[in-house]
Amino acid sequence: QVQLVESEGGSVQSGGSLTLSCIVSGVTFSSYYLGWFRQVPGKEREAVAGIDRNHVATYADSVQGRFAISRDNAQTTLYLQMDRLKPEDTAMYYCAANWGRVTLPVLGTSRATYWGQGTQVTVSS
C-alpha cells in the first residue's frame, strides 16, 4: 500500500521559514519522481517544485530562489525548505510521487500519481 504522509504545516510571519517533509512508503522510493504542489480554495492546484531520481530539481517561478526541494532516499523522505515566505505562499501543500520519467507538470496531471493528504501553511503579513 502506497502512503505519503506529510508533516504538520504551520503558521509563520512574512519573511519566516518553514520546512515540510513527506514520508513515502510502499514504493521503490529512489526510482520515483517527487514533487510538491499547493492549492488555495477556489483556485487550481499549482506546482511548486519537483525532483527527479538524480536529484535534479525544478521550481515554479514564484518560489525560485526561496524554496528548496530535496530527497533522502535512505529515509524515503521528501523535503521542502521554504524561506522568505510571503502571504501569497499561504495554501494547502501536497506531496506527490510518480514512477517513471515524468516532469513536474505531468506529475500533477497523471492518474498514476500518488498524493499525500495535504498540510496547511499560513503566512501572515
Side-chain angles (χ1 to χ4, degrees), residues 91-102:
M92 186 73 79
Y93 283 71
Y94 300 88
C95 60
N98 189 303
W99 185 87
R101 300 185 184 278
V102 299

Side-chain angles (χ1 to χ4, degrees), residues 34-89:
L34 308 168
W36 290 95
F37 291 76
R38 65 187 182 187
Q39 190 167 23
V40 175
K43 292 191 175 181
E44 288 192 1
R45 185 171 56 204
E46 173 191 22
V48 176
I51 186 167
D52 69 12
R53 63 186 70 185
N54 295 315
H55 297 247
V56 176
T58 301
Y59 296 95
D61 289 344
S62 59
V63 305
Q64 181 77 48
R66 300 187 298 119
F67 289 13
I69 188 171
S70 62
R71 62 191 294 164
D72 183 335
N73 288 346
Q75 300 297 323
T76 68
T77 302
L78 174 70
Y79 298 97
L80 184 68
Q81 172 68 40
M82 304 182 290
D83 297 322
R84 303 200 305 277
L85 282 160
K86 304 176 181 179
E88 50 264 44
D89 294 319

Side-chain angles (χ1 to χ4, degrees), residues 2-55:
V2 180
Q3 283 192 312
L4 286 75
V5 180
E6 291 129 347
S7 60
E8 195 171 326
S11 297
V12 297
Q13 289 196 322
S14 181
S17 298
L18 201 60
T19 300
L20 302 180
S21 63
C22 174
I23 299 175
V24 184
S25 60
V27 300
T28 305
F29 184 86
S30 60
S31 300
Y32 272 63
Y33 188 97
L34 308 168
W36 290 95
F37 291 76
R38 65 187 182 187
Q39 190 167 23
V40 175
K43 292 191 175 181
E44 288 192 1
R45 185 171 56 204
E46 173 191 22
V48 176
I51 186 167
D52 69 12
R53 63 186 70 185
N54 295 315
H55 297 247

